Amino acid sequence: MSPADLFLQSDAALREVVDQLDPADFSAAVPKEWSQLESPTLLGILGRHAYDEAWIPDVIAGRAAADGDPFADVDLLGDDPIAAYDALNDEATAAVRAGDMADTFRFTYGDYPAAEGLTHMATYRAFQAYSIAKHFGIPFHLSPELIAGFTEHVVPHADEWRQWGVFPPAIEPPADADDETRLLCTLGFWQP
């Protein structure tokens, strides 16, 4: 699987979870480690994902927030947060599918080759999808294709990225673990 396909499938997985959110839960608290917000809520997390989606066309074109942040003080969610997120997701998907990408993606935490940048963005989305679904009781599983893609593109870097704080400590998988559980344990996200 290419890094672009990994991103597209991860972004679709997050959208699958977002589309199942109950607006009644928007004010619910979420784990502090999900956000740099003082008191993160589900709506706040959705707002951060909307912000990330809005940036995808610019990121893949090689632009960075250091060049100016047109989304910094914009209400990207409006009166219908899920529909607003979906519209931004559609734009991000179209931009990545178009395939016209800069050689380097410029994130706030550094510059990375496009393939690695796509993998970073995919990782964030897929494991947020899993975490949000688990936290709010939404039925969700990583697809076999995503499991294979993360095994190829992310698992070889897990220990290095763990040192940077990307992943929590690895977890010993249960004896009867399936492929998804083994991946989630390797990356420290599995929850029984």
Side-chain angles (χ1 to χ4, degrees):
M1 170 181 296
S2 73
D5 288 335
L6 183 66
F7 170 82
L8 289 168
Q9 288 193 29
S10 295
D11 210 30
L14 180 57
R15 181 175 179 157
E16 176 187 335
V17 171
V18 167
D19 285 349
Q20 294 180 69
L21 295 176
D22 183 345
D25 290 332
F26 282 166
S27 62
V30 297
K32 236 176 150 31
E33 61 267 15
W34 288 8
S35 172
Q36 296 175 352
L37 300 172
E38 182 63 32
S39 299
T41 63
L42 179 59
L43 186 61
I45 294 298
L46 183 57
R48 292 310 302 165
H49 284 295
Y51 178 82
D52 285 347
E53 293 294 317
W55 261 105
I56 295 297
D58 286 333
V59 167
I60 67 173
R63 289 185 286 281
D67 301 330
D69 187 350
F71 309 111
D73 298 315
V74 176
D75 176 7
L76 295 170
L77 296 178
D79 294 332
D80 189 346
I82 293 173
Y85 171 85
D86 286 351
L88 292 166
N89 181 276
D90 287 342
E91 291 173 21
T93 297
V96 172
R97 282 194 175 135
D100 187 20
M101 296 184 202
D103 293 335
T104 302
F105 289 3
R106 298 168 55 214
F107 298 115
T108 56
Y109 56 90
D111 296 350
Y112 292 88
E116 188 174 347
L118 286 162
T119 301
H120 289 193
M121 295 186 303
T123 301
Y124 177 57
R125 283 157 173 76
F127 297 106
Q128 271 282 282
Y130 172 80
S131 297
I132 292 168
K134 193 74 169 169
H135 192 79
F136 288 96
I138 297 169
F140 174 78
H141 288 283
L142 296 171
S143 69
E145 295 80 14
L146 274 177
I147 294 166
F150 282 110
T151 300
E152 176 185 355
H153 293 286
V154 176
V155 168
H157 307 286
D159 289 334
E160 176 188 1
W161 293 3
R162 187 171 282 114
Q163 292 174 11
W164 301 340
V166 174
F167 298 124
I171 301 164
E172 184 66 32
D176 61 347
D178 59 14
D179 291 342
E180 179 185 43
T181 301
R182 279 193 294 280
L183 173 67
L184 292 166
C185 286
T186 298
L187 301 180
F189 287 106
W190 183 69
Q191 301 170 38

